[in-house]
Amino acid sequence: MKKQNNILKTTVYTILILYGLLTLVPFLWSILTSFKTTAEISAGGTFFPEKWSFDGYETIFQSQFPTWVKNSLTVSLAVTILNVIFNTMAGYALARIPFKGRQFLFSMLLMFIMIPSQVTMIPLYIVISNLGLINSHFSIIFTTMINITYIFMMRQFFINFPRDVEEAAAIDGLTRFGTFFRIVLPNARASLATQAIFVFMGVWNEFMKPLLFISSPDKYMLTQGLNALSKQYMNATKWDVIMAGAIISIIPIFIIYIVLNKYFLKSNDQTAGIK
Amino acid sequence: MSGKRKLLQGYTFMAPALIVIIIFTLVPIIYALYMMFFKVDLLAGTKTFVGFENYGKIFSDPKFWAAFKNTGEYVLIVVPIQTMIAMVLAALLNSKIQFNRVFLSIMFIPTLTSSSAMTLIFMWLFNNNGLVVNLIESLFGTKVQFITNPDLALAVIMIMNIFSTVPHFMIVFLSGLQDIPPVLYEAASIDGAGKVKQFFHVTVPQLMPVTFYVITMGVVGCFQIFDQAFILSNGSGGPQNSTLTFTLYIYQLAFTSNDMGRATAMAFILGIIIFMVTFIVNKLMKADQVNG
Amino acid sequence: MKKIIYALLSLSLVFSLAACNSSDESGGDGGSNSEDQSITLAVWASSPAESNALEETVSSFEEKTGIDVEIEVIQDNFQDAITARFAAKNAPDVFYLDAYVAPKFIQSGVLLDITDDVEDSADFYQPLLNAFKGEDGNLYALPKDYSTLATYVNTDLLEQAGYSVEDVPSDWEGLVEFAKELQTKLEDGQAAMVFDGTMARHLSAFIASDLNPVKDDGMADFTSSQKALDYLQSIVDGQDDGYILSPQIDLGMDWSGAAFGASKAVIMIEGNWVLSALKQDYPDVNYTILPAPTVNGQQQTMIFTVGYAISKDTKNKDAALEFVNYMTGEGQQQWSEGSGTLPTRISVAEKMNLTEDPDLKEHVEGAKYGTPWTSGVTLPVISQSFDNQFQAALNGDLTVEEAMKAAEEEANAEIERQQ
């Protein structure tokens, strides 16, 4: 029995370690590649760089890459703030304020959440272009500043949120808005953080919207910039440049992940959507 | 609190979300329903009413069927594999082992990575001069091309997709595993079932609802693949339409064929398919736990 | 409460501003005062040499006229991006227009008719100019440069195999036979010849084989000429037997230039765009450039040309015209010398003494007998079908006859769908 258990344990560890390695290899390989010279990459066959070179990173920083990072950061932050405030407000209203038409709005949102973004992709382009927002970062901000998934998540949260806190606040003479901003929001910190992380990640990693809406290279978001850059360098086998770009584009999310690790794993139960 | 005041409060709280949803979701949906009956040339700015002709054109287009075939293959291969891997890994992580936090953190990395960075990394891995090709060559002595081979280009996207979605589904399964009553395992153990047997007789049946959910989300996800195919094939869906996905086909109809009417009609077809799949899930899950 | 109201206010403000923005731009003074004018120029990403040359030539123009030119480099899917920008009423004033897609843009009526605003149009190579004429005979873009195909031979590898440049046949059939023989004397991983299987490289060979793939009514034809089928068959056979190879699929190189530069290929039929890579990245390679092979006894090569087009709705028509005329006139020599592309004006070509340059001589000659890569509105659809199906023939999934029949049917069905 004991022996069998040991074999089982070893098998479990082996599988986990193997899969863990399998996960890490592509990333390690791309990191190593980013430090090679183009000549070494063309020749192929080496695993570790013969000579550590920073050419790839230099090329990246001389291109418009830093601008794209800035664009992505600005837009992602703006969208995150708007999402957290407005989704939470909407979720709160759906959970806590018994106003007329609430049920209808809820059903409507439920319907919209089931419509895939591809259906509206082309007409959305025309709407955006009629508003004169093509090639402006507002096109991405407006189309991503609300996320129905998180409205529902917050509604769920507020349904389970104890009422007595609010009632006490109301007795203290705070208005509904005052209560919401001073009492309710601080208490919902964990949910807000979860929402913020995933919204930020979603916008940071978004590819199709920038591809459709943004056409000037100085306004590119990082994902489309990376793609454009790669097309330029692929023919010259300058994979060191492309990999350097890919690595840099992952770093911000990675930092957030390390710092806020606990929210990531917890929130996945609540938002089991997929990309 | 009067009803009027509640009404005002409710709508004020909902206003920002509603305005955005109306302008950027509802209006485009209505617009799509209107545009799919027209031949729209955006370049020249002309519109002609054609009725259901756009649908006829789509169904007679071999590209549509290529996209259909690709997606079918995709679903049949990717969904079972990713579901199985995710379930097994979740079960392993859930058993009392050390460092499971570390394993979890490492395995989660692909999910964080943007599809564009991920695609580029995989294009480099599977490049004709890349790690995988050279590895296969040194092991088996044959040079297998991936990206330029119509039979294998889609496989690269499949592997990539499995790679990046497994962690997510693994977490979903993990939370499902927490809800299985330990009593069931104890009973199985008393009956003399080993760990492996317990997995098949207790874990798998108990996880059925979660599995069903994961499979459906996997299918919906497969229908929506765009970024990877676009980047890998440089927007062409090649070689020989082997990486053409529904969404990439919509993009091409709109911007390469310059035919917005056909593009919206195609989007509508895709919408119906996804809507049906999602609808089934929502019927089976509680409406409150809906996720996009 | 206040915060919310402010947030909502600013939101609605932004919306209304955005809504005004699009309708407000119809004014414009169209003034002739060029001192404070600026135009936007959209270009695709190209080699560093070309980018620098463009910037320098544009600077010269800015200094001369005081007109400010903003260069936008569209890195990826250029045609899609330009189409989208026209649709969004956000088109650049001037943009690169590939002759290949010119008919579609001309037909859509979004380009400015520049027939009467061209300086000395007789000085241009006429086939290049004709590539940008609409069905009405009017001119909608000016060719900025062109490239042609020629045969590149790696002389070192050739001599190692025991041949000299004189042994290389000048006709296609002979060249194929020669490649077959040469392959037996090469090392593993080397190809006698590398090829590109896209229609853009073979249109002139089709025409020399009595096949016009784009019929007068715009429909596709790939099957009516046995000679053209035989020509394609010779490529497929060469690939099957391993003496005419694809650089990407068979050699694992990113493009022909890299295969040739890395001494993995002895012969390639390529455009003058490979020269900068051969000089910069592979300076040790010795090569000779011969004319592209004759097909069916006729001289043939492809001409690729790109023009400057002006969008019809430009608010700076005069500045845009001035710019286009400068870039294809006074500034052309500066551009051609800097970028290594070929000038489209005969007078500039003569001034630059191109026929004395062993690298460029054959490429310039090609302009006299070559076929421009453009053929009406339906060419993009037809060539896409060809590329798709010919690849299937190369993979051995279909015979050449089957593939061409399939390409023809696929293209014609799509053309009908687009009408």
Side-chain angles (χ1 to χ4, degrees):
Chain A
M1 197 72 199
K2 190 130 192 156
K3 199 170 162 205
Q4 210 190 359
N5 256 349
N6 272 343
I7 294 172
L8 204 70
K9 248 204 163 75
T10 321
T11 322
V12 169
Y13 276 109
T14 316
I15 295 174
L16 286 175
I17 288 169
L18 276 180
Y19 193 84
L21 281 177
L22 202 66
T23 304
L24 283 176
V25 162
F27 293 95
L28 288 176
W29 177 237
S30 53
I31 291 170
L32 288 173
T33 302
S34 69
F35 287 111
K36 289 178 181 176
T37 59
T38 310
E40 190 181 336
I41 290 168
S42 303
T46 55
F47 194 80
F48 286 99
E50 288 164 352
K51 181 172 136 282
W52 290 76
S53 115
F54 293 89
D55 293 357
Y57 289 91
E58 263 172 45
T59 313
I60 282 286
F61 282 111
Q62 280 159 2
S63 71
Q64 286 175 296
F65 203 84
T67 317
W68 301 335
V69 173
K70 204 183 81 212
N71 292 345
S72 268
L73 268 179
T74 319
V75 172
S76 304
L77 279 174
V79 169
T80 305
I81 293 165
L82 291 171
N83 259 290
V84 167
I85 296 172
F86 293 146
N87 292 342
T88 311
M89 279 168 59
Y92 179 79
L94 286 176
R96 276 285 208 271
I97 308 173
F99 60 96
K100 212 172 145 72
R102 183 168 74 160
Q103 202 45 47
F104 168 74
L105 286 183
F106 180 72
S107 317
M108 191 180 82
L109 293 184
L110 203 58
M111 199 181 81
F112 283 157
I113 206 172
M114 285 192 254
I115 293 173
S117 59
Q118 283 81 359
V119 175
T120 55
M121 177 171 97
I122 303 299
L124 186 60
Y125 177 85
I126 297 172
V127 169
I128 296 276
S129 90
N130 283 337
L131 289 172
L133 293 175
I134 291 286
N135 207 15
S136 135
H137 286 151
F138 283 114
S139 63
I140 297 174
I141 293 175
F142 288 153
T143 48
T144 51
M145 63 186 268
I146 296 292
N147 190 322
I148 303 177
T149 308
Y150 298 111
I151 294 182
F152 285 155
M153 187 182 103
M154 292 319 290
R155 174 178 170 269
Q156 205 49 40
F157 172 84
F158 287 122
I159 284 176
N160 305 327
F161 188 73
R163 279 179 182 270
D164 44 15
V165 184
E166 276 176 274
E167 276 156 10
I171 290 162
D172 288 346
L174 277 176
T175 60
R176 178 72 83 168
F177 287 101
T179 314
F180 178 77
F181 279 99
R182 285 187 205 171
I183 313 284
V184 179
L185 278 192
N187 276 309
R189 226 172 299 152
S191 292
L192 298 189
T194 300
Q195 214 192 125
I197 289 168
F198 278 86
V199 168
F200 186 92
M201 205 166 90
V203 180
W204 182 267
N205 293 342
E206 174 67 49
F207 181 75
M208 193 157 42
K209 284 197 171 96
L211 183 79
L212 293 177
F213 300 150
I214 308 284
S215 54
S216 303
D218 59 318
K219 297 210 177 84
Y220 274 5
M221 301 285 280
L222 186 53
T223 43
Q224 70 181 135
L226 191 61
N227 176 44
L229 194 86
S230 72
K231 294 295 179 285
Q232 203 185 330
Y233 287 107
M234 221 174 263
N235 268 349
T237 55
K238 289 193 194 298
W239 285 97
D240 52 325
V241 180
I242 302 171
M243 287 302 117
I247 298 293
I248 295 173
S249 78
I250 300 170
I251 287 175
I253 298 287
F254 203 79
I255 291 171
I256 295 175
Y257 176 59
I258 289 169
V259 174
L260 302 168
N261 191 298
K262 59 174 191 220
Y263 292 113
F264 266 92
L265 302 179
K266 204 176 71 183
S267 60
N268 263 285
D269 335 344
Q270 296 157 315
T271 59
I274 50 162
K275 199 74 194 93
Chain B
M1 277 275 251
S2 68
K4 251 208 173 109
R5 202 158 140 213
K6 282 210 175 73
L7 199 68
L8 186 69
Q9 278 180 353
Y11 280 99
T12 317
F13 268 87
M14 294 287 294
L18 284 181
I19 291 170
V20 169
I21 289 167
I22 286 167
I23 297 178
F24 297 109
T25 307
L26 187 61
V27 171
I29 289 171
I30 294 165
Y31 206 22
L33 291 173
Y34 160 84
M35 259 202 337
M36 65 194 191
F37 299 113
F38 287 80
K39 178 172 174 32
V40 188
D41 181 340
L42 271 189
L43 195 58
T46 55
K47 257 200 207 97
T48 16
F49 181 76
V50 293
F52 280 98
E53 208 176 272
N54 283 329
Y55 285 95
K57 284 177 175 178
I58 286 168
F59 291 127
S60 70
D61 190 342
K63 275 191 148 182
F64 168 78
W65 297 108
F68 203 87
K69 181 178 140 289
N70 292 339
T71 311
E73 274 178 34
Y74 208 93
V75 167
L76 288 177
I77 295 170
V78 169
V79 175
I81 292 180
Q82 71 188 15
T83 310
M84 266 187 292
I85 294 180
M87 191 193 285
V88 170
L89 286 177
L92 294 182
L93 285 174
N94 202 41
S95 55
K96 294 180 180 56
I97 56 155
Q98 288 169 320
F99 311 119
N100 65 3
R101 189 101 213 170
V102 177
F103 283 123
L104 202 57
S105 300
I106 288 174
M107 287 173 190
F108 207 69
I109 295 172
T111 304
L112 305 175
T113 311
S114 70
S115 51
S116 54
M118 198 68 165
T119 310
L120 292 172
I121 289 172
F122 267 69
M123 276 178 88
W124 170 225
L125 274 178
F126 286 90
N127 178 280
N128 291 348
N129 206 358
L131 189 68
V132 176
V133 176
N134 289 336
L135 198 70
I136 292 174
E137 194 179 15
S138 61
L139 289 177
F140 305 103
T142 52
K143 220 171 163 60
V144 184
Q145 311 278 357
F146 283 91
I147 311 256
T148 46
N149 182 336
D151 301 328
L152 294 175
L154 192 66
V156 175
I157 301 183
M158 288 179 182
I159 295 170
M160 191 159 44
N161 195 25
I162 292 171
F163 201 70
S164 24
T165 48
V166 158
H168 212 137
F169 291 143
M170 186 172 78
I171 308 269
V172 177
F173 276 124
L174 263 177
S175 60
L177 285 168
Q178 315 280 339
D179 300 337
I180 300 177
V183 179
L184 292 177
Y185 287 107
E186 284 155 23
S189 178
I190 289 163
D191 289 346
K195 288 271 180 211
V196 179
K197 214 168 178 175
Q198 281 177 28
F199 174 77
F200 284 106
H201 287 265
V202 180
T203 313
V204 175
Q206 284 293 316
L207 278 179
M208 257 325 169
V210 182
T211 310
F212 194 80
Y213 169 78
V214 165
I215 287 175
T216 323
M217 288 330 277
V219 173
V220 171
C222 287
F223 274 100
Q224 296 191 330
I225 291 281
F226 172 81
D227 310 2
Q228 294 88 336
F230 183 90
I231 296 170
L232 191 99
S233 68
N234 202 2
S236 71
Q240 290 177 60
N241 292 341
S242 63
T243 57
L244 188 72
T245 65
F246 275 134
T247 317
L248 184 52
Y249 177 60
I250 295 171
Y251 172 91
Q252 285 187 359
L253 285 175
F255 295 105
T256 313
S257 309
N258 189 27
D259 195 341
M260 289 278 178
R262 250 201 294 168
T264 37
M266 177 63 219
F268 196 73
I269 295 170
L270 176 63
I272 299 251
I273 295 172
I274 294 178
F275 196 89
M276 286 193 315
V277 174
T278 325
F279 186 75
I280 294 166
V281 180
N282 287 332
K283 275 274 165 257
L284 291 157
M285 313 254 316
K286 287 205 299 292
D288 276 356
Q289 293 171 354
V290 170
N291 296 293
Chain C
M1 185 71 201
K2 263 192 182 151
K3 280 185 198 161
I4 291 274
I5 289 171
Y6 278 131
L8 287 179
L9 262 181
S10 52
L11 195 74
S12 57
L13 202 67
V14 172
F15 270 111
S16 55
L17 279 180
C20 297
N21 247 353
S22 51
S23 55
D24 243 19
E25 290 173 7
S26 50
D29 53 359
S32 52
N33 178 11
S34 60
E35 280 308 306
D36 51 357
Q37 290 201 34
S38 72
I39 52 170
T40 49
L41 164 70
V43 304
W44 52 71
S46 47
S47 65
E50 278 199 30
S51 311
N52 292 337
L54 180 69
E55 276 165 31
E56 281 163 14
T57 317
V58 167
S59 301
S60 309
F61 169 76
E62 287 173 326
E63 274 164 37
K64 182 185 171 229
T65 59
I67 296 170
D68 182 37
V69 181
E70 193 190 326
I71 303 176
E72 283 191 4
V73 184
I74 296 176
Q75 308 259 18
D76 193 31
N77 295 62
F78 182 84
Q79 306 305 351
D80 296 353
I82 290 287
T83 304
R85 289 186 53 177
F86 269 106
K89 303 273 181 286
N90 177 25
D93 296 318
V94 184
F95 61 99
Y96 280 6
L97 179 68
D98 194 317
Y100 162 73
V101 294
K104 180 177 136 187
F105 279 86
I106 293 171
Q107 191 196 39
S108 298
V110 293
L111 303 182
L112 188 71
D113 179 350
I114 55 173
T115 318
D116 303 330
D117 304 297
V118 181
E119 293 159 7
D120 190 12
S121 64
D123 187 25
F124 284 100
Y125 288 105
Q126 291 309 299
L128 303 181
L129 207 59
N130 292 340
F132 298 104
K133 282 183 177 165
E135 285 174 5
D136 52 4
N138 292 343
L139 189 64
Y140 291 91
L142 277 182
K144 71 183 184 78
D145 53 34
Y146 69 96
S147 308
T148 61
L149 299 177
T151 309
Y152 285 64
V153 183
N154 182 324
T155 38
D156 295 340
L157 289 179
L158 199 64
E159 279 159 17
Q160 277 169 24
Y163 297 97
S164 72
V165 174
E166 284 71 35
D167 298 328
V168 180
S170 65
D171 63 307
W172 172 253
E173 287 83 358
L175 192 64
V176 171
E177 283 304 311
F178 178 75
K180 195 171 184 173
E181 199 183 304
L182 174 63
Q183 188 66 44
T184 59
K185 303 188 169 67
L186 296 174
E187 294 166 19
D188 261 0
Q190 285 183 327
M193 191 163 153
V194 284
F195 78 102
D196 178 316
T198 56
M199 184 171 157
R201 304 303 185 90
H202 303 287
L203 177 65
S204 52
F206 292 155
I207 289 172
S209 314
D210 310 324
L211 172 75
N212 186 358
V214 186
K215 292 194 291 196
D216 292 342
D217 60 358
M219 294 312 234
D221 172 14
F222 287 116
T223 50
S224 68
S225 157
Q226 188 55 44
K227 279 184 192 144
L229 292 174
D230 293 343
Y231 167 81
L232 291 173
Q233 189 65 52
S234 65
I235 299 175
V236 174
D237 292 345
Q239 200 218 12
D240 285 346
D241 300 343
Y243 54 87
I244 304 178
L245 295 178
S246 149
Q248 294 90 355
I249 296 174
D250 303 314
L251 297 173
M253 303 298 280
D254 288 314
W255 64 302
S256 314
F260 189 87
S263 292
K264 289 193 170 184
V266 188
I267 303 167
M268 67 173 175
I269 299 171
E270 272 296 339
N272 34 295
W273 51 76
V274 298
L275 286 165
S276 65
L278 290 180
K279 283 173 188 151
Q280 279 169 15
D281 304 346
Y282 312 101
D284 307 335
V285 173
N286 293 306
Y287 56 89
T288 306
I289 303 177
L290 307 166
T294 60
V295 172
N296 199 16
Q298 296 170 44
Q299 282 194 302
Q300 58 86 36
T301 187
M302 289 301 299
I303 302 176
F304 301 95
T305 182
V306 173
Y308 282 112
I310 303 173
S311 50
K312 204 174 186 170
D313 297 334
T314 175
K315 288 180 214 48
N316 306 305
K317 188 180 147 183
D318 298 340
L321 279 167
E322 203 172 335
F323 173 74
V324 170
N325 270 315
Y326 180 89
M327 295 302 281
T328 57
E330 200 180 323
Q332 183 162 68
Q333 187 167 350
Q334 186 184 7
W335 158 250
S336 299
E337 283 171 352
S339 64
T341 58
L342 302 173
T344 52
R345 281 183 181 270
I346 299 166
S347 60
V348 177
E350 281 167 358
K351 223 185 296 178
M352 287 170 67
N353 260 339
L354 293 177
T355 43
E356 306 294 309
D357 182 337
D359 277 352
L360 296 177
K361 179 173 168 287
E362 293 306 339
H363 286 293
V364 177
E365 290 293 316
K368 292 180 184 145
Y369 54 81
T371 310
W373 175 233
T374 178
S375 189
V377 182
T378 56
L379 180 64
V381 173
I382 292 174
S383 72
Q384 198 187 15
S385 298
F386 173 88
D387 297 353
N388 227 343
Q389 299 295 344
F390 188 52
Q391 197 56 52
L394 289 167
N395 292 345
D397 299 342
L398 299 172
T399 66
V400 170
E401 281 83 1
E402 286 168 347
M404 288 305 104
K405 198 166 178 317
E408 193 175 300
E409 284 166 3
E410 182 184 303
N412 285 337
E414 178 61 24
I415 290 164
E416 271 169 23
R417 276 192 292 272
Q418 292 199 358
Q419 271 160 8

